[in-house]
Amino acid sequence: MSLVGRDVELARIRRLLTNARDARSGVLSLRGAAGIGKSVLLDHAVSIAEAEGMRVVRGAGIESDSELAYGGLHQLLFSHLGRLDALPAPQATALRCAFGLAEGDEANRFLISAGTLSLLADLAEDAPLLCVVDDLQWLDQGSVEALLFAARRFVADPIAMLLAVRETSAPFEIAGVEVVDLSGLAAPDAARLLDDHAPELLEPVRARVLAESVGNPLAIIELGASRLAAHDTDEPDPAEQVRPLPVTRRVQETFRRQIVELPEPTQRALLAAAADTAAPLATILHVIEALGGAPGDLAPAERDRLLRIDSRITFRHPLVRAAAYQDAPLHRRIEVHRAYADAPDADADRRAWHLAAAATTPDEAVAAELEAAAERAWHRGGAMAVSAAYDRAGRLSADRELKARRIALASQAAFDAGKADRAARLAAEALSLTTDTGVRADAIYTRGAVEYERTSPRADAELAIGAAELVRDTDPERAALNFFEAVHAARHGAAHDLLERVVDLMRGFTPPEHWTPVVTALFGWAELFAGRPEAAVGPMRELYTTTSGGGNDLMHRVTAGFGGLMIADDDGVAAGTEDMLAQVRATGALGWVPYTLNVLAVARLFRGEFADARACVAEGASVAAELGNTTERLAHRSVEVWLHAVSGDEPRCQALAEEVLPRARARHRVNAEIAEWGLGMLDLSARRFKEALDRLEAVCRGPAGRDLLLRAVPDLVEAAVRGGEPDRAHEPLAAFRHWAEYVDRPVATGLALRCQALLADDDALYAEALRLQERHGGPYERARTQLVYGEWLRRQRRRTEARAHLAAAVSAFEGLGAELWAVRARGELAAFGERGDEPRRSGPLTLLTPQELQVVRLAATGHTNKEIAAQLFLSPRTVGHHLYKAYPKLGVTGRAALAGLV
């Protein structure tokens, strides 16, 4: 197809290729209707890339392969699998499993995605790389995930990705990728294209072709050719007198007319090729012969340029294939699919799907083959392929209970694939079909997982409670899983009424042995939220102790991590969660990364490690967004509000709070309250004591007040004392001291002593609080104590002591990047006549971006770029790019200096 009228798009593609050759990665998606010129632009890009010495890998989505796990990735990368040994071993193994080259447990789809990234990056080491994929909307879900995962993470690699997506009634979303929408050609360009291809057309036929094609290049060419061939007159056909047909239907009709003029054997051979274009050429020819034809039957179609035959059969356009298949009678299509299923070289998955396509009534034998295909797809990590196979197996099941079980499994796999609407629909259907409590519990669990993201954690908790009730006495494993889900969801939503319902259900319940410490700890959560830390701390600490060695179920370790934060074991949680994060990265359990980073971010926040906390929330929010995990993304953005507050960046803090809080309050109330706490702390650091007290009191007395938000009480006490209303602090402080007594951690005791000192004006209490925090506390809370102690000493006219504490506070706040707190401390120093109002440089780590900080920390511990890339799901070149950007910010020239600095 000619490239008339596409100068803007061509310039954008040339810029993409130029950037790639200059090691600036990029990805571009071309979106438009069938025939709009996407494939021609891809061909042009490939010709430019090859002429300039770039390596090209190319693939295309095939509609018949859209339900085969990793079929698209196999097509794109299979010829390069000899390079797998250069990849990190877990990623190489995952790709081998995905392509059916190795046996193993379930292939992790995130490791497959990371392996795709690493393999493409490795290919780009030899020469700049162009990766081209046409008809992305027909690629299987797993392949799309893997390619987009890689595309979003390339930064400094000589890699360009160019994708083409057909515009359909159901938009194909490509988050995080620049999209160029291709519209019809402008009138002068359309006329020029028509004149180039059908110069003999006369008016008014020429005008009709231009009007009907509405600028679609393929429609212009094909309609022009068909009118010319038919010696069309200027009389429109009756259908056109009523209304014009959509362009793609009209073009497909043009192809249909070409096909029906072919000999009958050729039409049948075309149907065979159209039924499975991804099949090897030998298989297609075998099917043609099995139907009574011969390979030569394809010759007339090849002569008319409807297809091309080399090592495989390629249709001139997807609409040719659609016309060849869709217009064939049903009995012919059934014959073709049965012939494919009986082909001697048919693999088990293709056989199952061809049998399913040939089935017109329920057939248990075919359903069983599809279920086996679903299980194989599960081992290859293709969640959407699993869902499709189980769903079709359900449709072909003669037994109602078997149908329900298979559709429930399809629902669960759809949720795993990120298809929430499909998962909810299938779960509802499964529930309507069965009375089996286990299947019903599974379907309800999936509905709850959908509602967690779609509505709120409270909705999830209510459904999980219902599922647990169904199986509490008959299936302890399912019951324990639903109890776990219900408690966590209720806690995230600060729905303590639901938590009490779960606890009542768990009384007398005997969980499986490996669930026992978790269930016991969940009882502890309920006790803590009821204000009884004396009954809560023991079981919560016991779980943390049993999981601290690693190797435990991730659900158990997340429970232990949140529990550890609730009992002030900040140091232990930080260390344990770092280990857990390394585990989930190494195993490719990307779905757990946002939850793990949420625990770690809060632990870092409590320890005053704000740069590290920012790195956690940046990655956590990014991964959650990529996974479609709206609730967890809001949880991370809420913590980010707190971090902006402590840095004193009031405009960004307020803007983010306005964006996040309305949704976060409904979805993740605990973290929404952390954001509210941050806003109160912002007021406190800016000496707006009345506003700070009002906001912090609402936080500490709110529904999450006995959760992590207990840690906001020291700020409330300071706001109350400085605002002249100390009585408003007594009740919250009593609850905080009760909690601190039983958690028995130096950090909690030190904070309680600081609060008492503020209320009592007691020198000894200040001194003891500071002693504990110097030995056990983080730099932020230590600086906060130095600040209030220094303020008190200044009022007592103990100038030398006050100056020492205030100067230490200023230094610490500046190092942490806590600018408003530093301003407040410098203001106190200014009262001595010192020039304390001049800001100094923040600590060097605060100058790094979150990604740079992650890379620097790993490099400082001796990891190579390749090892860092494997942990962070980046390419080695991108790791090197981040180090190169970080060195001047840190004032170093190489990685040897990082260990001492970090």
Side-chain angles (χ1 to χ4, degrees):
M1 189 186 300
S2 176
L3 281 167
V4 172
R6 295 298 186 201
D7 293 345
V8 173
E9 292 83 358
L10 285 172
R12 181 66 191 86
I13 288 171
R14 289 193 187 98
R15 188 161 67 249
L16 178 76
L17 299 178
T18 299
N19 286 343
R21 290 195 300 276
D22 292 338
R24 296 197 302 274
S25 309
V27 56
L28 184 67
S29 175
L30 307 177
R31 182 172 63 195
I36 205 68
K38 304 181 294 298
S39 299
V40 176
L41 285 167
L42 296 188
D43 290 340
H44 191 73
V46 167
S47 66
I48 294 173
E50 290 177 338
E52 295 178 350
M54 296 180 73
R55 180 196 290 272
V56 176
V57 294
R58 187 168 189 175
I62 300 171
E63 194 171 8
S64 61
D65 273 13
S66 62
E67 293 169 343
L68 295 176
Y70 297 106
L73 214 57
H74 185 280
Q75 176 194 155
L76 193 72
L77 299 176
F78 190 77
S79 61
H80 303 290
L81 294 187
R83 306 176 76 109
L84 285 184
D85 289 340
L87 274 55
Q91 297 177 15
T93 299
L95 281 177
R96 288 189 177 99
C97 290
F99 296 151
L101 301 177
E103 295 293 331
D105 296 330
E106 176 192 7
N108 185 295
R109 72 181 198 267
F110 299 117
L111 277 179
I112 293 167
S113 296
T116 301
L117 180 153
S118 297
L119 182 54
L120 290 172
D122 188 64
L123 287 171
E125 288 296 317
D126 299 339
L129 177 71
L130 172 62
C131 177
V132 175
V133 181
D134 203 354
D135 281 322
L136 187 74
Q137 78 283 347
W138 285 337
L139 226 58
D140 62 277
Q141 174 85 9
S143 295
V144 171
E145 283 181 356
L147 288 171
L148 295 183
F149 179 96
R152 286 189 281 259
R153 283 166 172 77
F154 289 129
V155 174
D157 295 86
I159 295 176
M161 274 196 186
L162 190 57
L163 315 171
V165 179
R166 181 182 295 192
E167 187 178 76
T168 62
S169 57
F172 186 88
E173 299 297 335
I174 314 177
V177 172
E178 180 185 354
V179 175
V180 173
D181 286 303
L182 297 181
S183 56
L185 297 178
D189 293 324
R192 192 171 117 213
L193 180 64
L194 179 59
D195 291 343
D196 286 346
H197 286 81
E200 297 89 350
L201 277 183
L202 302 176
E203 296 289 352
V205 175
R206 180 177 178 278
R208 284 174 51 206
V209 169
L210 290 172
E212 291 172 11
S213 63
V214 292
N216 184 295
L218 181 64
I220 292 169
I221 294 169
E222 296 301 335
L223 292 178
S226 67
R227 294 293 197 235
L228 194 62
H231 305 290
D232 213 338
T233 68
D234 58 357
E235 291 297 323
D237 62 45
E240 292 164 359
Q241 295 181 31
V242 178
R243 61 180 174 86
L245 294 171
V247 169
T248 51
R249 282 182 57 195
R250 189 173 287 282
V251 175
Q252 186 168 330
E253 174 63 16
T254 299
F255 290 137
R256 189 194 69 79
R257 288 175 183 170
Q258 287 182 258
I259 291 169
V260 297
E261 292 173 0
L262 294 170
E264 174 67 24
T266 300
Q267 293 184 43
R268 187 174 299 187
L270 268 179
L271 170 60
D276 193 343
T277 54
L281 178 61
T283 302
I284 296 175
L285 296 179
H286 171 87
V287 168
I288 292 171
E289 291 172 345
L291 296 171
D297 293 343
L298 288 169
E302 190 175 21
R303 182 196 62 221
D304 288 355
R305 297 186 306 110
L306 292 172
L307 49 75
R308 185 179 71 253
I309 305 174
D310 39 46
S311 61
R312 56 179 297 174
I313 293 178
T314 305
F315 280 89
R316 174 181 169 186
H317 191 276
L319 291 178
V320 177
R321 178 177 178 242
Y325 184 84
Q326 293 170 7
D327 290 324
L330 176 61
H331 71 281
R332 295 289 189 206
R333 298 202 300 267
I334 291 173
E335 286 176 354
V336 166
H337 286 298
R338 285 178 176 162
Y340 271 111
D342 292 337
D345 60 347
D347 67 70
D349 288 349
R350 287 198 121 80
R351 170 181 162 79
W353 279 108
H354 279 297
L355 286 173
T360 56
T361 59
D363 187 321
E364 180 54 35
V366 177
E369 290 206 34
L370 276 171
E371 182 165 354
E375 291 167 1
R376 287 190 293 271
W378 182 82
H379 284 286
R380 292 198 298 273
M384 197 58 215
V386 173
S387 179
Y390 274 127
D391 186 10
R392 185 69 175 128
R395 308 298 157 199
L396 292 173
S397 301
D399 179 81
R400 186 182 178 93
E401 290 296 336
L402 275 176
K403 179 177 183 179
R405 181 180 65 80
R406 287 163 174 162
I407 289 176
L409 288 169
S411 170
Q412 188 175 358
F415 181 78
D416 292 341
K419 301 295 184 182
D421 289 343
R422 175 184 172 88
R425 174 177 57 78
L426 291 170
E429 183 178 359
L431 285 169
S432 72
L433 291 169
T434 183
T435 58
D436 183 285
T437 56
V439 174
R440 291 184 65 80
D442 289 347
I444 293 170
Y445 182 89
T446 302
R447 284 183 61 196
V450 171
E451 289 305 311
Y452 184 93
E453 293 305 321
R454 180 184 285 168
T455 307
S456 69
R458 182 182 182 92
D460 179 19
E462 289 173 333
L463 286 165
I465 290 170
E469 286 176 322
L470 283 174
V471 292
R472 178 186 181 278
D473 300 323
T474 58
D475 193 333
E477 186 71 34
R478 276 190 173 105
L481 176 63
N482 279 283
F483 283 139
F484 167 90
E485 182 70 18
V487 171
H488 274 267
R491 183 236 160 204
H492 292 167
H496 294 160
D497 57 323
L498 295 182
L499 187 59
E500 290 173 7
R501 280 180 56 192
V502 182
V503 168
D504 286 342
L505 271 175
M506 289 195 301
R507 297 190 198 285
F509 168 65
T510 304
E513 184 177 355
H514 68 106
W515 275 103
T516 298
V518 178
V519 171
T520 304
L522 296 179
F523 276 111
W525 287 19
E527 294 286 356
L528 185 70
F529 301 151
R532 295 186 291 271
E534 62 273 18
V537 171
M540 293 169 70
R541 189 161 286 158
E542 182 179 351
L543 175 64
Y544 192 79
T545 301
T546 60
T547 59
S548 60
N552 292 275
D553 188 289
L554 293 176
M555 289 187 288
H556 300 185
R557 298 188 73 183
V558 165
T559 304
F562 279 124
L565 292 175
M566 294 176 205
I567 57 176
D569 190 4
D570 306 337
D571 295 341
V573 170
T577 310
E578 284 279 13
D579 289 343
M580 180 180 170
L581 184 61
Q583 177 187 343
V584 299
R585 291 195 195 284
T587 58
L590 195 66
W592 282 99
V593 166
Y595 300 98
T596 308
L597 285 170
N598 186 252
V599 176
L600 187 57
V602 176
R604 296 295 191 200
L605 178 153
F606 285 161
R607 283 162 53 92
E609 297 165 344
F610 301 140
D612 292 283
R614 287 188 189 94
C616 290
V617 299
E619 183 183 5
S622 174
V623 173
E626 188 166 33
L627 298 174
N629 190 334
T630 304
T631 300
E632 202 60 23
R633 180 176 181 273
L634 286 170
H636 280 282
R637 300 303 303 279
S638 297
V639 176
E640 189 180 351
V641 172
W642 196 102
L643 292 168
H644 284 319
V646 78
S647 72
D649 190 342
E650 190 154 2
R652 289 180 70 186
C653 180
Q654 296 285 3
L656 183 59
E658 289 174 9
E659 174 194 338
V660 166
L661 276 173
R663 291 177 295 154
R665 288 189 188 101
R667 287 183 175 267
H668 204 301
R669 187 61 184 268
V670 170
N671 278 36
E673 293 294 305
I674 289 177
E676 291 280 9
W677 172 16
L679 293 172
M681 183 180 57
L682 183 69
D683 287 331
L684 180 60
S685 63
R687 303 182 67 87
R688 297 189 292 263
F689 299 124
K690 175 64 169 67
E691 293 88 341
L693 178 57
D694 290 344
R695 193 182 293 273
L696 291 166
E697 191 171 46
V699 167
C700 294
R701 294 180 181 274
R706 288 182 176 138
D707 201 300
L708 300 176
L709 280 303
L710 264 171
R711 302 290 278 270
V713 168
D715 289 337
L716 181 151
V717 171
E718 185 177 341
V721 171
R722 293 291 184 255
E725 299 183 73
D727 289 347
R728 291 171 67 178
H730 289 304
E731 185 179 339
L733 179 56
F736 184 86
R737 290 181 63 190
H738 184 51
W739 167 80
E741 176 186 357
Y742 285 98
V743 301
D744 192 25
R745 307 297 298 183
V747 63
T749 304
L751 290 171
L753 287 170
R754 185 176 85 201
C755 293
Q756 291 173 257
L758 277 162
L759 285 165
D761 278 346
D762 188 302
D763 189 12
L765 290 172
Y766 276 123
E768 179 62 14
L770 188 55
R771 185 188 69 80
L772 280 174
Q773 290 174 338
E774 285 173 340
R775 293 180 61 186
H776 304 286
Y780 173 67
E781 291 297 353
R782 182 168 63 249
R784 291 282 303 276
T785 301
Q786 288 168 328
L787 172 59
V788 294
Y789 192 18
E791 290 173 335
W792 183 82
L793 288 168
R794 186 179 67 79
R795 290 195 301 274
Q796 303 302 311
R797 301 184 183 280
R798 293 161 60 178
R799 297 171 61 88
T800 301
E801 295 169 88
R803 187 181 292 112
H805 287 303
L806 291 169
V810 168
S811 178
F813 287 139
E814 287 177 340
L816 292 166
E819 182 52 33
L820 279 182
W821 287 110
V823 167
R824 181 169 150 185
R826 286 196 294 266
E828 290 290 324
L829 279 176
F832 293 116
E834 298 186 8
R835 295 187 64 184
D837 57 345
E838 295 180 1
R840 283 167 254 175
R841 183 184 178 195
S842 298
L845 296 184
T846 66
L847 304 177
L848 302 180
T849 68
Q851 188 88 86
E852 289 167 358
L853 179 59
Q854 287 181 305
V855 169
V856 163
R857 284 208 175 279
L858 289 169
T861 60
H863 289 82
T864 65
N865 285 10
K866 191 171 182 179
E867 291 168 341
I868 296 168
Q871 284 204 42
L872 300 182
F873 305 116
L874 301 172
S875 72
R877 278 179 179 261
T878 296
V879 170
H881 169 79
H882 287 308
L883 285 172
Y884 176 79
K885 301 283 281 187
Y887 290 154
K889 297 179 183 180
L890 297 173
V892 302
T893 57
R895 67 200 305 146
L898 294 178
L901 183 63
V902 174

